[in-house]
Amino acid sequence: MSETIEFGQYVVERLKQAGVKQCFGVPGDFNLGLDFVESDPDIEWVGNANELNAAYAADGYARVKGGLAVIVTTFGVGELSALCGIAGALAERVPVLHIVGAPSTKLQSKESLLHHTLNLPGSFTTFSTMSAPLSCSQALLNEIAPKTPTTWTEAFDKTLTDVLEQCRPGYVEIPTDAFHHKVSAEGLKQKLPHPHSAPPPESVAASISPQDAQASASTSLANVSTAAPTRAPSDEVTAHVVEEIAQRFKQAKKPVILVDACAGRFGMAGEVRKLVEGCGIRFFETPMGKSLLDEHHPLFGGCYAGANSLPAVREEVEAADFVLYVGALKSDFNSGSFSVNIDPKITIELHSFTTTIGYAAYPTTDIRHVLPDLLPAFKEVVQSRAASPQSGENAEQKVKAGRVESIVPEPKSNEIKHEWLWPRVGKWFADTDIIITETGTSSFGLTNVLLPSHSTYIAQILWGAIGWSVGACLGAAMAAQEDGKNRRTVLFVGDGSLQLTLQEIGTMLRRGVHPYLFVLNNDGYEIERQIHGETAKYNDIQLYDHQLLLPFLAGKKCQTPYQSYVVKTPSELNKLLDDEEFNKPDKLRLIEVYMPRGDAPEGLIRQAKLTAEANAQV
């Protein structure tokens, strides 16, 4: 007989094995599993103001850690509140496990009319059904009879493994009587995968989702099927793909690498850097790929987003004859409203679910298998043409010609405007800062600002939920607190977006983290005004007194030091950013930055124009 353990404790042990040290969510009467978290010395319950914020916090935590995050909610009212944040994690490939405490199996079998149900037949399956399209995998214990001591643990482990391998959310529903049910502890001996490690070849084909198939079909003329027809073994296909890519690289005169979001999600940024440096290849990033590689590297060319790129960047990328597009997520804001102008015939895309070479797709291949094998193959090519145009003086001349520089211009007025603000804060950033930008002016403002070499930049460019950044900042700060490296966490959020989720500043104060919260006070939803409704009342907001936020949210018993600031002119902001005491991350700081209504970064203005043109097309 194997050792037995309560199922709730099994779950906690598995989460710890996956590297989780913080658990986000809101308590509810069906969440008996929280007792296991509460009593465990190695995992902490964060506790959020609401479930939506908890999902955002889990998203930020997972991005900074590069691994799993967990949110726990109660059945019905709690889980539905979290779904917007879970959807964002799905869209942007973030591994978040959503654990839902549900009514007991006995009450569900009787179809009892309980609180949090809909007073309709089938109420107990409605919510999990709603979550199904937002999950890569589900473990619904009420629908699985525990025939053996491993039945439930195997179901849980499958969903957890799917989340880790696919970097997508998963859903686990645990009835109240299941938490204390005795199960086998045998599964704890099985090693869990990590999102950055290559999955077994046989699991690649099995993990192709409808979303993956659609994405693959949209980038090639191949008709990708999810029915898993008979194929050659994945390792043979991978070897063929590597050879095909190497042959194309051999013929190239002007090769470039374009780094996008999923290169980071699957831990491939280091492999890309090896390829860049080992073969002397110019590399560029997309807005969603910012900071994945060193933006001060001599081979870095800038940020490419189609028509919303700097001219020199756009010219060089679109003149390439070989583009290795690593981890692409070609959303509208990430591609200049789909204005990427790269010939598909010379493009190779690496994904976790497929590789496309020109118009051909290889859906049993995985970026985590292909990319490491490209370096030796490419090195052979480079060594065979030692006098290549990609090396030596010509490469250095290209770097100087296309280099993006962050020069702080002289302010043109006594107001703080975007043209001056973003280069200025770019010079203020410390080397290991974690930088979070809200969907809006800040994410566009930092697009072409060089970030420090070891910084971490996170923004929700695809899903684009306003208010996401405040919850994500909490999760990011909690992850930074874990590693003990004293990294600063810096948030830029507009006054409108802040109003959706500002309660989590209270959680930051309660949990003792010390982020810098830059609140851009420009009197409303500026990104919306730039896109549509410049003078419309629906883009106005109730103006808050931001200087009262921290005292109000801290209350009378808070032990976390905090301080608020108001800056209205460039000279005031300069003085603050240069202050030695201000640069010590020893307290939570809210910096209210007054900016004129109607002012916006050039990138946002261009994107707004591109969006308007796209919307006008019939």
Side-chain angles (χ1 to χ4, degrees):
M1 291 289 291
S2 63
E3 180 186 352
T4 59
I5 187 174
E6 289 180 299
F7 182 72
Q9 190 60 46
Y10 184 93
V11 170
V12 169
E13 295 300 326
R14 266 320 210 185
L15 298 182
K16 292 193 297 182
Q17 288 178 350
V20 173
K21 295 183 179 180
Q22 314 287 338
C23 192
F24 301 93
V26 178
D29 59 342
F30 296 130
N31 278 338
L32 303 186
L34 292 181
D35 289 336
F36 292 97
V37 175
E38 182 86 12
S39 61
D40 194 284
D42 301 318
I43 191 168
E44 291 188 88
W45 174 251
V46 175
N48 297 91
N50 61 56
E51 293 87 357
L52 174 61
N53 293 354
Y56 290 160
D59 183 306
Y61 180 85
R63 292 181 193 232
V64 171
K65 281 190 64 104
L68 183 71
V70 176
I71 172 176
V72 178
T73 66
T74 197
F75 178 78
V77 293
E79 59 180 306
L80 296 189
S81 179
L83 283 191
C84 179
I86 298 297
L90 176 73
E92 302 212 354
R93 300 297 293 253
V94 183
V96 175
L97 184 66
H98 186 186
I99 298 176
V100 176
S104 70
T105 54
K106 184 176 181 180
L107 289 171
Q108 290 197 49
S109 66
K110 291 181 177 181
E111 288 283 335
S112 302
L113 184 58
L114 301 178
H115 59 289
H116 303 340
T117 59
L118 297 172
N119 193 18
L120 292 171
S123 287
F124 292 109
T125 60
T126 298
F127 308 128
S128 60
T129 301
M130 293 169 71
S131 283
L134 305 181
S135 311
C136 70
S137 182
Q138 289 192 321
L140 310 177
L141 300 194
N142 184 63
E143 299 179 5
I144 306 170
K147 296 179 180 179
T148 71
T150 62
T151 302
W152 280 350
T153 60
E154 289 172 355
F156 175 79
D157 283 351
K158 181 187 182 304
T159 292
L160 179 57
T161 298
D162 289 344
V163 170
L164 293 171
E165 286 187 349
Q166 298 183 39
C167 284
R168 286 192 173 104
Y171 179 98
V172 178
E173 185 180 271
I174 307 177
T176 55
D177 53 337
F179 285 107
H180 294 285
H181 185 80
K182 292 289 188 177
V183 296
S184 170
E186 193 67 23
L188 297 178
K189 299 176 183 178
Q190 302 299 316
K191 187 177 179 180
L192 290 170
H194 190 279
H196 297 176
S197 61
E202 62 271 14
S203 72
V204 177
S207 70
I208 297 177
S209 70
Q211 300 100 317
D212 289 336
Q214 183 179 11
S216 182
S218 70
T219 56
S220 92
L221 295 182
N223 184 15
V224 180
S225 170
T226 60
T230 302
R231 298 185 178 103
S234 291
D235 52 353
E236 292 184 16
V237 178
T238 297
H240 172 74
V241 162
V242 170
E243 176 62 24
E244 277 287 307
I245 297 172
Q247 288 302 315
R248 285 178 172 246
F249 176 66
K250 187 175 183 178
Q251 302 301 317
K253 304 292 186 188
K254 296 179 289 184
V256 300
I257 294 176
L258 186 57
V259 185
D260 210 338
C262 285
R265 300 293 189 268
F266 295 100
M268 290 292 102
E271 294 294 334
V272 177
R273 179 160 185 161
K274 290 177 186 176
L275 200 61
V276 164
E277 294 178 339
C279 304
I281 308 172
R282 287 276 277 167
F283 72 94
F284 298 79
E285 63 190 8
T286 67
M288 292 182 72
K290 271 192 74 67
S291 84
L292 290 179
L293 270 66
D294 182 1
E295 295 185 0
H296 292 269
H297 195 285
L299 289 170
F300 175 61
C303 188
Y304 178 74
N308 202 6
S309 311
L310 295 178
V313 172
R314 186 181 185 187
E315 179 181 352
E316 185 174 350
V317 172
E318 295 179 0
D321 59 358
F322 172 98
V323 178
L324 186 65
Y325 203 160
V326 185
L329 268 177
K330 291 184 278 188
S331 69
D332 50 356
F333 281 9
N334 202 38
S335 65
S337 287
F338 314 112
S339 59
V340 167
N341 187 24
I342 304 173
D343 188 345
K345 294 192 297 295
I346 57 98
T347 303
I348 294 94
E349 291 190 17
L350 305 183
H351 298 277
S352 64
F353 55 90
T354 193
T355 303
T356 61
I357 303 177
Y359 293 120
Y362 299 85
T364 62
T365 55
D366 187 298
I367 184 174
R368 290 162 289 188
H369 291 137
V370 174
L371 196 52
D373 288 349
L374 287 182
L375 180 58
F378 278 26
K379 275 190 172 181
E380 285 187 17
V381 173
V382 172
Q383 289 167 0
S384 70
R385 54 180 192 193
S388 164
Q390 284 81 254
S391 61
E393 293 182 2
N394 288 342
E396 287 300 316
Q397 292 169 1
K398 285 175 66 180
V399 169
K400 292 176 182 177
R403 183 72 187 210
V404 180
E405 296 292 350
S406 289
I407 300 172
V408 182
E410 286 296 320
K412 295 180 180 178
S413 71
N414 210 30
E415 294 179 305
I416 298 175
K417 294 190 174 182
H418 290 278
E419 181 184 19
W420 175 84
L421 173 65
W422 300 112
R424 178 63 186 91
V425 296
K427 295 296 185 183
W428 171 74
F429 291 140
D431 187 51
T432 59
D433 279 354
I434 299 167
I435 302 158
I436 303 112
T437 60
E438 179 60 68
T439 297
T441 55
S442 56
S443 62
F444 284 95
L446 282 177
T447 297
N448 292 312
V449 172
L450 292 181
L451 301 180
S453 297
H454 301 99
S455 62
T456 300
Y457 175 82
I458 61 175
Q460 198 188 54
I461 292 172
L462 170 53
W463 185 242
I466 64 171
W468 163 87
S469 68
V470 181
C473 179
L474 167 66
M478 296 299 296
Q481 188 182 62
E482 283 181 15
D483 66 23
K485 296 178 181 177
N486 203 33
R487 289 187 292 169
R488 303 190 310 185
T489 304
V490 183
L491 167 68
F492 295 94
V493 60
D495 51 356
S497 298
L498 177 68
Q499 293 191 7
L500 278 77
T501 49
L502 59 80
Q503 308 98 315
E504 290 316 308
I505 298 176
T507 310
M508 297 175 195
L509 289 162
R510 182 167 60 85
R511 293 311 308 266
V513 292
H514 302 146
Y516 292 81
L517 311 176
F518 286 85
V519 178
L520 310 184
N521 187 338
N522 53 13
D523 192 21
Y525 298 124
E526 190 56 50
I527 184 173
E528 307 296 347
R529 289 178 177 140
Q530 292 292 326
I531 295 173
H532 183 75
E534 181 180 357
T535 60
K537 291 181 179 179
Y538 50 69
N539 286 327
D540 295 342
I541 61 172
Q542 170 64 27
L543 296 179
Y544 288 177
D545 188 338
H546 296 104
Q547 297 307 300
L548 298 179
L549 283 180
L550 296 188
F552 169 71
L553 292 170
K556 296 181 180 180
K557 296 183 179 181
C558 180
Q559 300 298 310
T560 303
Y562 59 85
Q563 190 167 352
S564 294
Y565 310 81
V566 174
V567 289
K568 296 185 177 181
T569 67
S571 61
E572 289 176 352
L573 185 55
N574 271 329
K575 182 178 179 181
L576 184 64
L577 297 182
D578 291 338
D579 183 81
E580 186 176 340
E581 289 300 314
F582 178 79
N583 282 281
K584 297 176 182 177
D586 56 358
K587 62 186 69 172
L588 187 149
R589 291 176 167 89
L590 187 150
I591 307 97
E592 184 175 10
V593 182
Y594 277 82
M595 305 187 73
R597 178 170 167 164
D599 184 48
E602 284 298 319
L604 175 54
I605 294 171
R606 287 194 298 269
Q607 181 62 52
K609 182 179 179 181
L610 291 167
T611 300
E613 292 172 351
N615 290 340
Q617 294 177 0
V618 178

